[in-house]
Amino acid sequence: MTRQKKRPEELRSHRWFGVKGLRSFAHRSRTLQMGYAREDFAGKPVIAIINTWSDINPCHAHFRTRAEEVKRGVWQAGGFPLEMPAIALAEPFQKPSTMLYRNLLAMETEELLRGYPVDGAVLMGGCDKTTPALVMGATSMGLPFIYVPAGPMLRGNWHGEPLGSGSDSWKYWAELRAGTIGEREWGEVEEGIARSYGHCMTMGTASTMTSVAETLGLTLPAAASIPAPDANHARMATASGRRIVEMVWDDLKPVEILTPKAFDNAITVVHALSGSTNALIHLVAMAGRAGVPLKLERFDELARRTPVLANIRPAGDKYLMEDFYYAGGLRAMMSELKDLLNLDCMTANGRSLGENLDDAKIYNDDVIRKRNNPLSANGGLAVLRGNLAPDGAVIKPTAAEPHLMKHTGPAVVFKNYDDLYARVDDENLVVDKNSVLVLQNAGPQGGPGMPEWGQLPIPKKLLQQGVRDMVRISDARMSGTSYGACVLHVAPESYIGGPLALVRDGDLIELDVAARKLELKVRAEELAKRKAAWKQPPPHYTRGYGAIYSQHITQADKGCDLDVLHYGDPTPDPEVVH
């Protein structure tokens, strides 16, 4: 389909640069002040490059260089690039949780694009929350944009064995606590697990959400799988810079790309990847910004028909994202799922998803499984409900020991994170392998910021007995690189009086993943009595962003967005004449 091209005077930036008057004089003179010539910007699409580079974010350490490569593409296509820094959201460092600040980055992105003379944007992210945050903000603004994912780091190495981000951190930390390795070995793992820039190379939240961005049609084809140090990554950045200029002239906006069918595609791909549990929260929030209602039930409906094809840790047995790229990458895996995808969805390169998959091939069918040999016949995530989680909870069955998928055991309750770490290794803790570990007050408000505490540590005395997995339940999240029989995102959370707040030591809890059931085996009358005696903990914040967050944050099943940022009447563009 041939699209009608915009004329230069129809560009949004024309109101800043192209009209006569005192304000436009100031805009042009200050642009000339920076050393640009009139020919650089006059009548050309202004492209904002939203860059989440920072010295504190190792996942984006290459973004200074990549931003210059994006600019090169913008110049080549006849645009005017302007780099704009935004919050880095450095997952390993920012406390209490980057989830607390995801919506702040979304707000910053939206307001950067609204307040300046911008016609289109290149979003540069990759580290966990940066992908949904950037997409959420740019979607709310509504201008054409394209996403440049950071790319996974190279695989780690220890004594010739590959190491996976996060997954092997948890694994060898457990072995250190169990006494099977010493401090010397632990130090060697520390030095070998992260060997280049780029985000986690397991199928954690970063790889899941960049794959989601590609599936939704927000990147160039094949962008999400390229390792960050690979020369193809630099070429992808430049090609993205060229493409956004054409998207502006074509007026290809997110409203044409982010449709209900596109979100179904993204959910299907998350299941086939056995992706991060965090994808549920982020996809609900992203869809909400696009005006697409997305219920947890839709995740479960699509899970039941979608096989797991990506043999990537932590759900897979040995492979990492570098192997996935060499095996054909995301396009190859999607080509094996064509009958489950909506192939007519529009994508950022102006072609349909189906057209973008035409020549995709699988080069290693142990890394990317064929349909007749899946890792699992059903999707990698399951949504649970019951009297303990009336509004839902999630578990990743493919990353847990199978015998725990139907389990009833007595609760061992920790009232918060500090209580957990004060007592979990206490020799006197009453716990055995059949116990159900419960963490309270770790949700969106209780954490605060719903930190990744959901992979509760197994008590040391059980590790020494050889126990490596237990049923664990919380209103927290867990890293996508984590594994285990961890029930997460229990909603409503305990901090606001959800049923999780009422659990006491010794209460029996039933988990039945096949039946999608999570039940607290306590009589309703007793729970009502406990609820009447319950008192809400004091607020974490009384001022600043934390107070704003606490007043407006929604629960996990609603995507943990701020209620004032939900889809609605568009915010008007600012007056430029003032």
Side-chain angles (χ1 to χ4, degrees), residues 398-466:
T398 50
E401 292 190 8
H403 74 277
L404 293 172
M405 295 299 91
K406 186 176 175 63
H407 179 83
T408 300
V412 178
V413 181
F414 302 95
K415 63 183 179 181
N416 55 39
Y417 188 72
D418 290 339
D419 182 36
L420 169 68
Y421 271 85
R423 296 195 295 122
V424 71
D425 286 340
D426 189 335
E427 282 292 324
N428 297 316
L429 183 70
V430 180
V431 64
D432 63 29
K433 66 180 183 180
N434 295 312
S435 299
V436 176
L437 305 184
V438 175
L439 175 62
Q440 299 169 331
N441 295 305
Q445 291 196 46
M450 206 177 182
E452 293 182 340
W453 296 339
Q455 189 187 21
L456 280 65
I458 293 171
K460 186 175 181 178
K461 65 182 181 182
L462 297 184
L463 287 173
Q464 292 170 339
Q465 296 170 21

Side-chain angles (χ1 to χ4, degrees), residues 101-244:
Y101 300 102
R102 182 200 68 182
N103 300 327
L104 185 59
L105 174 55
M107 292 174 68
E108 181 181 24
T109 301
E110 180 178 350
E111 299 307 327
L112 281 172
L113 298 179
R114 177 171 293 111
Y116 288 106
V118 173
D119 299 302
V122 177
L123 312 177
M124 299 181 62
C127 187
D128 292 19
K129 316 303 179 296
T130 57
T131 299
L134 290 165
V135 170
M136 288 161 66
T139 299
S140 292
M141 181 54 199
L143 296 177
F145 72 83
I146 194 167
Y147 191 72
V148 172
M153 70 177 86
L154 299 177
R155 64 172 76 91
N157 180 72
W158 181 50
H159 295 180
E161 293 296 320
L163 292 175
S165 308
S167 301
D168 280 319
S169 301
W170 323 128
K171 173 183 174 180
Y172 288 108
W173 174 244
E175 298 306 323
L176 180 69
R177 292 172 62 231
T180 59
I181 65 169
E183 290 292 342
R184 180 177 63 82
E185 292 86 356
W186 176 243
E188 291 172 348
V189 171
E190 182 178 298
E191 292 170 359
I193 200 166
R195 300 190 301 116
S196 76
Y197 48 76
H199 60 66
C200 291
M201 77 313 244
T202 42
M203 188 47 68
T205 304
S207 295
T208 300
M209 295 312 300
T210 55
S211 297
V212 160
E214 180 176 334
T215 304
L216 286 170
L218 302 176
T219 75
L220 291 180
S225 307
I226 308 170
D230 195 296
N232 287 304
H233 195 271
R235 286 188 279 272
M236 177 271 294
T238 299
S240 298
R242 289 194 296 268
R243 177 57 194 160
I244 187 58

Side-chain angles (χ1 to χ4, degrees), residues 35 296 365 390:
L296 293 184
D365 62 9

